[in-house]
Each structure stands twice: as C-alpha cells, then as structure tokens.
Amino acid sequence: MQKLYSREFLMRLRNEVPMERLLCEVLNLPTKRVEGYLRFLCPLCGEFNTAVNPRTNLGRCFLCKRNFNPIDLVIAVKGCGFLTAVRFLSRLL
C-alpha cells in the first residue's frame, strides 16, 4: 500500500526545503549568481534563463515559462514520479 501524505506535509516540503540548498547541495545542478539572482540550469530546456525567488521558494524558467517548487524540481531532474520525489525530499526536513 502506498503511503499517503497530508496536505500540510506537502506544503512543508514545498515551503521549508530551500530551493538554493536543493539546487546547489542536493541536486548539484549548475548554478550561478547574476545581478543578485541565483540562476540554475533548467532541467527541461538546458538554459540558464532562470531565477529563484527566495520569498516564494520557487524557481522559474523564463524560456520554458515553467515554475518549479522543490517537488516539481526533483521530478524534472530525477525523472521520477511524485511519490518518489516526496520520499526523496522528506529526508531534508
């Protein structure tokens, strides 16, 4: 039987796993700082036309027009499903 996760737990993953730590230390994506913004290599298009907003804990690719929260980012980088991404991120709380 698959483990179900509460809405509150999923919101904690989305809000409390810092995107900068996830990008730089956990997923080891190529990153750089440009004009004060953390830019990362988009896992979908392979471009650096991205930014991380620390206030919302979201990453955005302006080329793909895609927003990434921590769960979405793990899914895109690892090519895994939602439950696998949640289990992966759970160890970071």
Side-chain angles (χ1 to χ4, degrees):
M1 174 176 248
Q2 291 182 342
K3 182 177 179 182
L4 298 178
Y5 297 96
S6 70
R7 179 178 173 86
E8 292 78 18
F9 180 75
L10 295 175
M11 288 303 292
R12 283 188 62 211
L13 288 179
R14 188 238 178 262
N15 293 320
E16 294 178 23
V17 174
M19 284 293 283
E20 184 166 347
R21 177 176 173 225
L22 181 61
L23 287 163
C24 300
E25 298 173 21
V26 179
L27 296 174
N28 297 312
L29 281 178
T31 59
K32 57 186 174 181
R33 288 213 182 268
V34 178
E35 298 176 4
Y37 291 98
L38 178 66
R39 310 258 185 215
F40 60 96
L41 188 67
C42 177
L44 301 178
C45 71
E47 297 291 330
F48 270 100
N49 192 5
T50 59
V52 172
N53 184 337
R55 289 186 326 238
T56 61
N57 202 41
L58 293 174
R60 170 97 175 147
C61 178
F62 298 103
L63 188 61
C64 294
K65 299 183 182 358
R66 175 87 189 265
N67 288 324
F68 295 98
N69 65 44
I71 298 169
D72 297 329
L73 190 63
V74 170
I75 290 170
V77 169
K78 295 199 163 284
C80 64
F82 179 81
L83 291 175
T84 300
V86 169
R87 282 192 295 272
F88 178 83
L89 289 169
S90 294
R91 65 185 174 89
L92 302 177
L93 283 180

Coordinates of all heavy atoms in Angstrom, one line a residue:
M1 N 0.8 -1.2 0.0 CA 0.0 0.0 0.0 C 0.9 1.2 0.0 O 1.9 1.3 0.7 CB -0.9 0.0 1.2 CG -1.7 1.2 1.4 SD -2.9 1.1 2.8 CE -4.4 1.1 1.9
Q2 N 0.5 2.2 -0.8 CA 1.3 3.5 -0.9 C 1.0 4.4 0.3 O -0.1 4.4 0.8 CB 1.0 4.2 -2.2 CG 1.5 3.5 -3.4 CD 1.2 4.3 -4.7 OE1 0.4 5.2 -4.7 NE2 1.9 4.0 -5.7
K3 N 2.0 5.0 0.8 CA 1.9 5.9 1.9 C 1.2 7.2 1.4 O 1.7 7.8 0.4 CB 3.2 6.2 2.5 CG 3.2 7.1 3.7 CD 4.5 7.3 4.3 CE 4.5 8.3 5.5 NZ 5.8 8.5 6.1
L4 N 0.2 7.7 2.0 CA -0.4 9.0 1.7 C 0.2 10.1 2.5 O 0.5 9.9 3.7 CB -1.9 8.9 1.9 CG -2.6 7.9 1.0 CD1 -4.1 7.9 1.4 CD2 -2.4 8.1 -0.4
Y5 N 0.4 11.2 1.9 CA 1.0 12.4 2.6 C -0.1 13.5 2.8 O -0.9 13.7 1.9 CB 2.1 12.9 1.8 CG 3.3 11.9 1.7 CD1 3.4 11.1 0.5 CD2 4.2 11.8 2.7 CE1 4.4 10.2 0.4 CE2 5.2 10.9 2.5 CZ 5.3 10.1 1.4 OH 6.3 9.2 1.3
S6 N -0.1 14.0 4.0 CA -1.1 15.1 4.2 C -0.8 16.3 3.5 O 0.4 16.6 3.1 CB -1.1 15.4 5.7 OG 0.1 16.1 6.1
R7 N -1.8 17.1 3.2 CA -1.6 18.4 2.6 C -0.6 19.3 3.3 O 0.2 20.0 2.7 CB -3.0 19.1 2.5 CG -2.9 20.5 1.8 CD -4.4 21.0 1.7 NE -4.3 22.4 1.2 CZ -4.3 22.8 0.0 NH1 -4.3 21.8 -1.0 NH2 -4.3 24.0 -0.4
E8 N -0.7 19.3 4.6 CA 0.2 20.1 5.5 C 1.7 19.6 5.3 O 2.6 20.4 5.2 CB -0.2 20.0 6.9 CG -1.5 20.6 7.3 CD -2.7 19.8 6.9 OE1 -2.6 18.5 6.7 OE2 -3.8 20.4 6.8
F9 N 1.9 18.3 5.2 CA 3.3 17.8 5.0 C 3.8 18.2 3.6 O 4.9 18.7 3.5 CB 3.3 16.3 5.2 CG 4.7 15.7 5.0 CD1 5.6 15.8 5.9 CD2 5.0 15.1 3.8 CE1 6.9 15.3 5.8 CE2 6.3 14.6 3.6 CZ 7.2 14.7 4.6
L10 N 3.0 18.1 2.6 CA 3.4 18.5 1.3 C 3.7 20.0 1.2 O 4.6 20.4 0.5 CB 2.3 18.1 0.2 CG 2.1 16.6 0.1 CD1 0.9 16.3 -0.9 CD2 3.3 15.9 -0.4
M11 N 2.9 20.8 1.9 CA 3.2 22.2 1.9 C 4.5 22.5 2.7 O 5.2 23.4 2.3 CB 2.0 23.0 2.6 CG 0.8 23.1 1.7 SD 1.0 23.8 0.1 CE 1.4 25.5 0.6
R12 N 4.8 21.8 3.7 CA 6.1 21.9 4.4 C 7.2 21.6 3.4 O 8.2 22.4 3.4 CB 6.2 21.0 5.6 CG 5.4 21.5 6.8 CD 5.7 20.6 8.0 NE 7.2 20.7 8.3 CZ 7.9 19.8 8.9 NH1 7.3 18.6 9.2 NH2 9.1 19.9 9.2
L13 N 7.1 20.5 2.6 CA 8.2 20.2 1.6 C 8.3 21.4 0.7 O 9.4 21.8 0.3 CB 7.8 19.0 0.9 CG 8.0 17.7 1.6 CD1 7.6 16.5 0.7 CD2 9.4 17.5 2.1
R14 N 7.2 21.9 0.2 CA 7.2 23.0 -0.8 C 7.8 24.3 -0.2 O 8.5 25.0 -0.9 CB 5.8 23.2 -1.3 CG 5.7 24.2 -2.4 CD 4.8 25.3 -2.0 NE 4.6 26.3 -3.0 CZ 5.3 27.4 -3.1 NH1 6.3 27.7 -2.2 NH2 5.1 28.3 -4.0
N15 N 7.5 24.5 1.0 CA 8.0 25.8 1.6 C 9.2 25.8 2.4 O 9.9 26.8 2.6 CB 6.8 26.4 2.4 CG 5.6 26.8 1.6 OD1 5.8 27.3 0.5 ND2 4.4 26.5 2.1
E16 N 9.5 24.6 3.0 CA 10.6 24.6 4.0 C 11.9 23.9 3.5 O 12.9 24.0 4.2 CB 10.2 23.8 5.3 CG 9.1 24.6 6.0 CD 8.6 23.8 7.3 OE1 9.3 23.0 7.8 OE2 7.5 24.1 7.7
V17 N 11.9 23.3 2.3 CA 13.1 22.8 1.7 C 13.6 23.9 0.8 O 13.0 24.2 -0.2 CB 12.9 21.5 0.9 CG1 14.1 21.1 0.2 CG2 12.4 20.4 1.8
P18 N 14.7 24.6 1.2 CA 15.1 25.8 0.5 C 15.6 25.5 -0.9 O 16.4 24.5 -1.1 CB 16.3 26.4 1.3 CG 16.2 25.7 2.6 CD 15.5 24.4 2.4
M19 N 15.1 26.2 -1.9 CA 15.4 25.9 -3.3 C 16.9 26.0 -3.5 O 17.5 25.2 -4.2 CB 14.7 26.9 -4.2 CG 13.2 26.5 -4.4 SD 13.0 25.0 -5.3 CE 13.3 25.6 -7.0
E20 N 17.6 27.0 -2.9 CA 19.0 27.2 -3.1 C 19.8 26.0 -2.6 O 20.7 25.5 -3.3 CB 19.5 28.5 -2.4 CG 21.0 28.7 -2.7 CD 21.4 30.1 -2.3 OE1 20.6 31.0 -2.0 OE2 22.7 30.3 -2.2
R21 N 19.4 25.5 -1.4 CA 20.1 24.3 -0.9 C 19.8 23.1 -1.8 O 20.7 22.3 -2.1 CB 19.6 24.0 0.5 CG 20.2 22.7 1.1 CD 19.8 22.5 2.5 NE 20.2 21.2 2.9 CZ 19.5 20.3 3.6 NH1 18.3 20.6 4.0 NH2 20.0 19.1 3.9
L22 N 18.6 22.9 -2.2 CA 18.2 21.8 -3.1 C 19.0 21.9 -4.4 O 19.5 20.8 -4.8 CB 16.7 21.9 -3.4 CG 16.1 20.7 -4.2 CD1 16.3 19.4 -3.6 CD2 14.6 21.0 -4.5
L23 N 19.1 23.0 -5.0 CA 19.8 23.2 -6.3 C 21.3 22.9 -6.2 O 21.8 22.2 -6.9 CB 19.5 24.6 -6.9 CG 18.1 24.9 -7.4 CD1 17.9 26.4 -7.5 CD2 18.0 24.2 -8.8
C24 N 21.9 23.6 -5.2 CA 23.3 23.6 -5.1 C 23.9 22.4 -4.4 O 25.0 21.9 -4.8 CB 23.8 24.9 -4.4 SG 23.3 26.4 -5.2
E25 N 23.3 22.0 -3.3 CA 23.9 21.0 -2.4 C 23.3 19.5 -2.6 O 24.0 18.6 -2.4 CB 23.7 21.3 -1.0 CG 24.4 22.6 -0.6 CD 24.1 23.1 0.8 OE1 23.6 22.2 1.7 OE2 24.2 24.3 1.1
V26 N 22.0 19.5 -3.0 CA 21.4 18.2 -3.0 C 21.4 17.6 -4.5 O 21.8 16.5 -4.7 CB 20.0 18.2 -2.4 CG1 19.3 16.9 -2.5 CG2 20.0 18.7 -1.0
L27 N 20.9 18.4 -5.4 CA 20.8 18.0 -6.8 C 22.0 18.3 -7.6 O 22.2 17.8 -8.7 CB 19.5 18.6 -7.4 CG 18.2 18.2 -6.8 CD1 17.0 19.0 -7.5 CD2 17.9 16.7 -7.0
N28 N 22.8 19.2 -7.0 CA 24.1 19.6 -7.7 C 23.9 20.1 -9.1 O 24.7 19.8 -10.0 CB 25.1 18.5 -7.6 CG 25.5 18.1 -6.2 OD1 25.8 19.0 -5.4 ND2 25.4 16.9 -5.9
L29 N 22.8 20.9 -9.3 CA 22.7 21.5 -10.7 C 23.6 22.6 -10.9 O 24.0 23.3 -9.9 CB 21.2 22.0 -10.8 CG 20.1 21.0 -11.1 CD1 18.8 21.8 -11.2 CD2 20.4 20.3 -12.4
P30 N 24.1 22.9 -12.1 CA 24.9 24.0 -12.3 C 24.1 25.3 -12.0 O 23.0 25.4 -12.4 CB 25.2 23.9 -13.8 CG 25.1 22.5 -14.2 CD 24.0 22.0 -13.3
T31 N 24.8 26.2 -11.2 CA 24.1 27.4 -10.8 C 25.1 28.6 -11.0 O 26.3 28.3 -11.0 CB 23.7 27.4 -9.3 OG1 24.8 27.2 -8.5 CG2 22.6 26.4 -9.1
K32 N 24.6 29.8 -11.0 CA 25.5 31.0 -11.0 C 24.6 32.1 -10.4 O 23.4 32.1 -10.5 CB 26.0 31.3 -12.3 CG 25.0 31.5 -13.4 CD 25.7 31.6 -14.8 CE 24.7 31.6 -15.9 NZ 25.4 31.8 -17.2
R33 N 25.3 33.1 -9.9 CA 24.6 34.3 -9.4 C 24.8 35.4 -10.5 O 25.9 35.7 -10.9 CB 25.2 34.8 -8.1 CG 24.8 33.9 -7.0 CD 24.6 34.7 -5.7 NE 24.3 33.7 -4.7 CZ 23.0 33.4 -4.3 NH1 22.0 34.0 -4.9 NH2 22.8 32.5 -3.4
V34 N 23.7 36.0 -10.9 CA 23.7 37.1 -11.9 C 22.8 38.2 -11.4 O 21.6 37.9 -11.1 CB 23.2 36.6 -13.3 CG1 23.2 37.7 -14.3 CG2 24.1 35.4 -13.7
E35 N 23.4 39.4 -11.2 CA 22.6 40.5 -10.7 C 21.8 40.2 -9.4 O 20.7 40.6 -9.3 CB 21.7 41.0 -11.8 CG 22.4 41.5 -13.1 CD 21.5 41.9 -14.2 OE1 20.3 41.9 -14.0 OE2 22.1 42.2 -15.3
G36 N 22.4 39.4 -8.6 CA 21.8 39.1 -7.3 C 20.9 38.0 -7.3 O 20.3 37.6 -6.2
Y37 N 20.6 37.4 -8.4 CA 19.7 36.3 -8.5 C 20.4 35.0 -8.7 O 21.4 34.9 -9.5 CB 18.7 36.5 -9.7 CG 17.7 37.6 -9.6 CD1 18.0 38.8 -10.1 CD2 16.6 37.4 -8.8 CE1 17.1 39.9 -10.0 CE2 15.7 38.4 -8.6 CZ 15.9 39.7 -9.2 OH 15.0 40.7 -9.1
L38 N 19.9 33.9 -8.1 CA 20.5 32.6 -8.3 C 19.9 32.1 -9.5 O 18.7 32.0 -9.6 CB 20.2 31.7 -7.1 CG 20.7 30.3 -7.2 CD1 22.2 30.2 -7.3 CD2 20.2 29.4 -6.1
R39 N 20.7 31.7 -10.5 CA 20.3 31.1 -11.8 C 20.7 29.7 -11.8 O 21.7 29.3 -11.2 CB 20.9 31.9 -13.0 CG 20.8 33.3 -12.9 CD 19.7 33.8 -13.8 NE 19.7 35.3 -13.8 CZ 18.6 36.0 -13.9 NH1 17.5 35.4 -14.0 NH2 18.7 37.3 -13.9
F40 N 19.9 28.8 -12.4 CA 20.2 27.4 -12.4 C 19.9 26.9 -13.8 O 19.2 27.5 -14.6 CB 19.3 26.6 -11.4 CG 17.9 26.7 -11.6 CD1 17.1 25.8 -12.3 CD2 17.2 27.8 -11.1 CE1 15.8 25.9 -12.5 CE2 15.8 27.9 -11.2 CZ 15.1 27.0 -11.9
L41 N 20.6 25.8 -14.2 CA 20.4 25.2 -15.5 C 19.1 24.5 -15.5 O 18.8 23.6 -14.7 CB 21.5 24.2 -15.7 CG 21.6 23.6 -17.1 CD1 21.9 24.7 -18.1 CD2 22.6 22.5 -17.2
C42 N 18.2 25.0 -16.3 CA 16.8 24.4 -16.4 C 16.9 22.9 -16.8 O 17.5 22.6 -17.8 CB 15.9 25.1 -17.4 SG 14.3 24.4 -17.6
P43 N 16.3 22.0 -16.0 CA 16.4 20.6 -16.3 C 15.5 20.2 -17.5 O 15.7 19.1 -18.1 CB 15.8 19.9 -15.1 CG 15.0 20.9 -14.4 CD 15.6 22.3 -14.7
L44 N 14.7 21.2 -18.0 CA 13.9 20.9 -19.2 C 14.4 21.4 -20.5 O 14.5 20.6 -21.5 CB 12.5 21.5 -19.0 CG 11.7 21.0 -17.7 CD1 10.4 21.6 -17.6 CD2 11.5 19.5 -17.8
C45 N 14.9 22.6 -20.5 CA 15.4 23.2 -21.7 C 17.0 23.3 -21.8 O 17.5 23.6 -22.8 CB 14.8 24.5 -22.0 SG 15.3 25.9 -21.0
G46 N 17.6 23.2 -20.6 CA 19.1 23.3 -20.6 C 19.6 24.7 -20.7 O 20.8 24.9 -21.0
E47 N 18.8 25.7 -20.4 CA 19.3 27.1 -20.4 C 19.4 27.7 -19.0 O 18.8 27.2 -18.1 CB 18.3 27.9 -21.3 CG 18.3 27.5 -22.8 CD 19.5 27.8 -23.5 OE1 20.2 28.7 -23.2 OE2 19.8 27.0 -24.5
F48 N 20.1 28.8 -18.9 CA 20.2 29.5 -17.6 C 19.3 30.7 -17.6 O 19.5 31.6 -16.7 CB 21.7 30.0 -17.5 CG 22.6 29.0 -16.8 CD1 23.4 28.2 -17.5 CD2 22.5 28.9 -15.4 CE1 24.3 27.3 -16.9 CE2 23.4 28.0 -14.7 CZ 24.2 27.2 -15.5
N49 N 18.3 30.7 -18.4 CA 17.3 31.8 -18.3 C 16.3 31.6 -17.2 O 15.1 31.4 -17.4 CB 16.6 31.9 -19.7 CG 15.8 33.2 -19.8 OD1 15.9 34.1 -19.0 ND2 15.1 33.4 -20.9
T50 N 16.8 31.5 -16.0 CA 16.1 31.1 -14.8 C 16.4 32.0 -13.6 O 17.3 32.8 -13.7 CB 16.5 29.7 -14.4 OG1 17.9 29.7 -14.1 CG2 16.2 28.7 -15.5
A51 N 15.6 31.9 -12.6 CA 15.8 32.6 -11.4 C 15.1 31.9 -10.2 O 14.1 31.2 -10.4 CB 15.4 34.1 -11.4
V52 N 15.6 32.1 -9.0 CA 15.0 31.6 -7.8 C 14.5 32.8 -7.0 O 15.2 33.8 -6.8 CB 16.0 30.8 -7.0 CG1 15.4 30.4 -5.6 CG2 16.4 29.5 -7.7
N53 N 13.3 32.7 -6.5 CA 12.7 33.7 -5.7 C 12.7 33.2 -4.3 O 11.9 32.3 -3.9 CB 11.3 34.1 -6.1 CG 10.7 35.2 -5.3 OD1 11.1 35.5 -4.2 ND2 9.7 35.9 -5.9
P54 N 13.6 33.7 -3.4 CA 13.7 33.1 -2.0 C 12.4 33.4 -1.2 O 12.1 32.7 -0.3 CB 14.9 33.7 -1.4 CG 15.2 34.9 -2.3 CD 14.6 34.7 -3.6
R55 N 11.7 34.4 -1.5 CA 10.5 34.8 -0.8 C 9.4 33.7 -1.0 O 8.6 33.4 -0.1 CB 9.9 36.2 -1.1 CG 10.8 37.3 -0.6 CD 10.1 38.6 -0.9 NE 9.4 38.5 -2.2 CZ 9.5 39.3 -3.3 NH1 10.4 40.3 -3.2 NH2 8.9 39.1 -4.4
T56 N 9.3 33.2 -2.2 CA 8.2 32.3 -2.6 C 8.7 30.8 -2.6 O 8.0 29.9 -2.7 CB 7.6 32.6 -3.9 OG1 8.6 32.5 -4.9 CG2 6.9 33.9 -3.9
N57 N 10.1 30.7 -2.5 CA 10.7 29.4 -2.6 C 10.4 28.7 -3.9 O 10.1 27.5 -4.0 CB 10.4 28.5 -1.4 CG 11.5 27.4 -1.2 OD1 12.6 27.7 -1.3 ND2 11.0 26.2 -0.9
L58 N 10.4 29.5 -5.0 CA 10.1 28.9 -6.3 C 11.2 29.3 -7.3 O 11.8 30.3 -7.2 CB 8.8 29.5 -6.9 CG 7.5 29.1 -6.2 CD1 6.3 29.9 -6.9 CD2 7.2 27.6 -6.4
G59 N 11.5 28.4 -8.2 CA 12.3 28.6 -9.3 C 11.5 28.8 -10.6 O 10.4 28.3 -10.7
R60 N 12.0 29.6 -11.5 CA 11.3 29.9 -12.7 C 12.2 29.8 -13.9 O 13.3 30.4 -13.9 CB 10.6 31.3 -12.7 CG 10.0 31.8 -13.9 CD 8.6 31.6 -14.0 NE 8.0 32.2 -15.2 CZ 7.0 31.7 -15.8 NH1 6.4 30.6 -15.3 NH2 6.5 32.3 -16.9
C61 N 11.8 29.1 -15.0 CA 12.5 29.2 -16.2 C 11.7 30.1 -17.1 O 10.5 29.8 -17.4 CB 12.6 27.8 -16.9 SG 13.4 27.9 -18.5
F62 N 12.3 31.2 -17.6 CA 11.6 32.2 -18.4 C 11.5 31.7 -19.8 O 10.6 32.2 -20.6 CB 12.3 33.5 -18.2 CG 12.2 34.0 -16.8 CD1 13.4 34.0 -16.0 CD2 11.1 34.5 -16.3 CE1 13.4 34.4 -14.7 CE2 11.1 35.0 -15.0 CZ 12.2 34.9 -14.2
L63 N 12.3 30.8 -20.2 CA 12.3 30.3 -21.6 C 11.1 29.3 -21.7 O 10.3 29.4 -22.6 CB 13.6 29.7 -22.0 CG 13.7 29.3 -23.5 CD1 13.6 30.4 -24.4 CD2 15.1 28.6 -23.7
C64 N 11.1 28.3 -20.8 CA 10.0 27.3 -20.8 C 8.7 27.8 -20.2 O 7.7 27.2 -20.4 CB 10.4 26.1 -19.8 SG 11.8 25.1 -20.4
K65 N 8.8 29.0 -19.5 CA 7.7 29.5 -18.8 C 7.1 28.6 -17.8 O 5.9 28.4 -17.6 CB 6.6 30.0 -19.8 CG 7.1 31.0 -20.8 CD 6.0 31.5 -21.6 CE 6.3 32.5 -22.7 NZ 7.5 33.1 -22.8
R66 N 8.0 27.9 -17.1 CA 7.7 26.9 -16.1 C 8.2 27.3 -14.7 O 9.3 27.7 -14.5 CB 8.3 25.6 -16.5 CG 8.2 24.5 -15.5 CD 6.9 23.7 -15.8 NE 6.7 22.7 -14.7 CZ 7.0 21.5 -14.8 NH1 7.6 21.0 -15.8 NH2 6.8 20.7 -13.8
N67 N 7.3 27.2 -13.7 CA 7.7 27.4 -12.3 C 8.0 26.0 -11.7 O 7.4 25.0 -12.0 CB 6.5 28.0 -11.5 CG 6.3 29.4 -11.8 OD1 7.2 30.2 -12.1 ND2 5.0 29.9 -11.9
F68 N 9.0 26.1 -10.8 CA 9.4 24.8 -10.1 C 9.3 25.1 -8.6 O 10.0 26.0 -8.1 CB 10.8 24.5 -10.4 CG 11.0 24.1 -11.9 CD1 11.5 25.0 -12.7 CD2 10.8 22.8 -12.3 CE1 11.8 24.7 -14.1 CE2 11.0 22.5 -13.6 CZ 11.5 23.4 -14.5
N69 N 8.6 24.2 -7.9 CA 8.7 24.2 -6.4 C 9.7 23.0 -6.2 O 10.1 22.3 -7.1 CB 7.3 24.0 -5.7 CG 6.6 22.7 -6.0 OD1 7.2 21.7 -6.0 ND2 5.3 22.8 -6.3
P70 N 10.1 22.8 -4.9 CA 11.0 21.7 -4.7 C 10.6 20.3 -5.2 O 11.4 19.6 -5.8 CB 11.2 21.7 -3.2 CG 11.0 23.1 -2.8 CD 9.9 23.6 -3.7
I71 N 9.3 20.0 -5.1 CA 8.8 18.7 -5.6 C 8.9 18.6 -7.1 O 9.4 17.7 -7.7 CB 7.4 18.4 -5.1 CG1 7.3 18.4 -3.6 CG2 6.8 17.2 -5.7 CD1 5.9 18.4 -3.0
D72 N 8.4 19.7 -7.8 CA 8.5 19.7 -9.3 C 9.9 19.6 -9.8 O 10.2 19.0 -10.8 CB 7.9 21.1 -9.8 CG 6.4 21.2 -9.5 OD1 5.7 20.2 -9.4 OD2 6.0 22.4 -9.3
L73 N 10.8 20.3 -9.1 CA 12.2 20.3 -9.5 C 12.8 18.9 -9.4 O 13.5 18.4 -10.3 CB 13.0 21.3 -8.6 CG 14.4 21.5 -9.1 CD1 14.4 22.2 -10.5 CD2 15.2 22.4 -8.2
V74 N 12.6 18.2 -8.3 CA 13.1 16.8 -8.1 C 12.5 15.9 -9.2 O 13.2 15.1 -9.8 CB 12.8 16.3 -6.7 CG1 13.1 14.8 -6.7 CG2 13.6 17.0 -5.7
I75 N 11.2 16.0 -9.5 CA 10.6 15.3 -10.6 C 11.3 15.5 -11.9 O 11.6 14.6 -12.7 CB 9.1 15.6 -10.7 CG1 8.4 15.0 -9.4 CG2 8.5 15.0 -12.0 CD1 6.9 15.5 -9.3
A76 N 11.5 16.8 -12.2 CA 12.2 17.1 -13.5 C 13.6 16.7 -13.6 O 14.0 16.2 -14.6 CB 12.1 18.6 -13.7
V77 N 14.4 16.8 -12.5 CA 15.8 16.5 -12.5 C 16.0 15.0 -12.5 O 16.8 14.4 -13.3 CB 16.5 17.2 -11.4 CG1 18.0 16.6 -11.2 CG2 16.6 18.7 -11.6
K78 N 15.3 14.3 -11.7 CA 15.5 12.9 -11.5 C 14.6 12.0 -12.4 O 14.8 10.8 -12.5 CB 15.2 12.5 -10.0 CG 16.2 13.1 -9.1 CD 16.3 12.4 -7.8 CE 17.5 12.7 -7.0 NZ 18.7 12.0 -7.4
G79 N 13.7 12.7 -13.1 CA 12.8 11.9 -14.0 C 12.0 10.9 -13.3 O 11.7 9.8 -13.7
C80 N 11.5 11.2 -12.0 CA 10.8 10.3 -11.2 C 9.4 10.8 -11.1 O 9.0 11.8 -11.6 CB 11.5 10.2 -9.8 SG 11.5 11.7 -8.9
G81 N 8.6 10.0 -10.4 CA 7.2 10.3 -10.1 C 7.1 11.1 -8.8 O 8.0 11.4 -8.1
F82 N 5.8 11.6 -8.6 CA 5.5 12.4 -7.4 C 5.9 11.8 -6.1 O 6.6 12.4 -5.3 CB 4.0 12.8 -7.4 CG 3.6 13.6 -6.3 CD1 3.8 15.0 -6.3 CD2 3.0 13.1 -5.2 CE1 3.4 15.8 -5.3 CE2 2.6 13.8 -4.1 CZ 2.8 15.2 -4.2
L83 N 5.5 10.5 -5.9 CA 5.7 9.9 -4.6 C 7.2 9.7 -4.3 O 7.7 9.8 -3.2 CB 5.0 8.5 -4.5 CG 3.5 8.6 -4.4 CD1 2.9 7.3 -4.4 CD2 3.1 9.4 -3.1
T84 N 8.0 9.3 -5.4 CA 9.4 9.2 -5.2 C 10.1 10.5 -4.9 O 10.9 10.6 -4.0 CB 10.0 8.6 -6.5 OG1 9.4 7.4 -6.8 CG2 11.5 8.5 -6.4
A85 N 9.6 11.6 -5.5 CA 10.1 12.9 -5.2 C 9.8 13.3 -3.8 O 10.7 13.9 -3.1 CB 9.6 14.0 -6.2
V86 N 8.6 13.0 -3.3 CA 8.2 13.4 -1.9 C 9.1 12.6 -0.9 O 9.6 13.1 0.0 CB 6.7 13.1 -1.7 CG1 6.4 13.2 -0.2 CG2 5.9 14.1 -2.5
R87 N 9.3 11.3 -1.2 CA 10.2 10.5 -0.3 C 11.6 11.0 -0.3 O 12.2 11.1 0.8 CB 10.2 9.0 -0.7 CG 8.9 8.3 -0.3 CD 9.1 6.8 -0.5 NE 9.2 6.4 -1.9 CZ 8.2 6.1 -2.7 NH1 6.9 6.2 -2.3 NH2 8.4 5.8 -3.9
F88 N 12.1 11.4 -1.4 CA 13.5 12.0 -1.6 C 13.6 13.3 -0.7 O 14.5 13.4 0.0 CB 13.7 12.3 -3.0 CG 15.1 12.9 -3.3 CD1 16.2 12.1 -3.4 CD2 15.2 14.3 -3.5 CE1 17.5 12.7 -3.6 CE2 16.4 14.9 -3.7 CZ 17.6 14.1 -3.8
L89 N 12.6 14.1 -0.9 CA 12.6 15.4 -0.1 C 12.4 15.3 1.3 O 12.8 16.1 2.1 CB 11.6 16.4 -0.8 CG 12.0 16.9 -2.1 CD1 10.8 17.7 -2.7 CD2 13.2 17.9 -2.0
S90 N 11.6 14.3 1.7 CA 11.3 14.1 3.2 C 12.5 14.0 4.1 O 12.5 14.5 5.2 CB 10.5 12.8 3.3 OG 9.3 12.9 2.7
R91 N 13.6 13.5 3.6 CA 14.8 13.4 4.4 C 15.5 14.8 4.6 O 16.4 14.9 5.4 CB 15.8 12.4 3.8 CG 16.3 12.8 2.4 CD 17.2 11.7 1.8 NE 17.6 12.0 0.5 CZ 18.7 12.7 0.2 NH1 19.5 13.1 1.1 NH2 19.0 13.0 -1.1
L92 N 15.0 15.8 3.9 CA 15.6 17.1 4.0 C 14.9 18.0 5.0 O 15.4 19.1 5.3 CB 15.7 17.8 2.6 CG 16.4 17.1 1.5 CD1 16.3 17.8 0.2 CD2 17.9 16.9 1.9
L93 N 13.8 17.6 5.6 CA 13.1 18.4 6.6 C 13.8 18.2 7.9 O 14.3 17.3 8.3 CB 11.6 18.0 6.6 CG 10.8 18.5 5.5 CD1 9.3 18.0 5.7 CD2 10.8 20.0 5.4

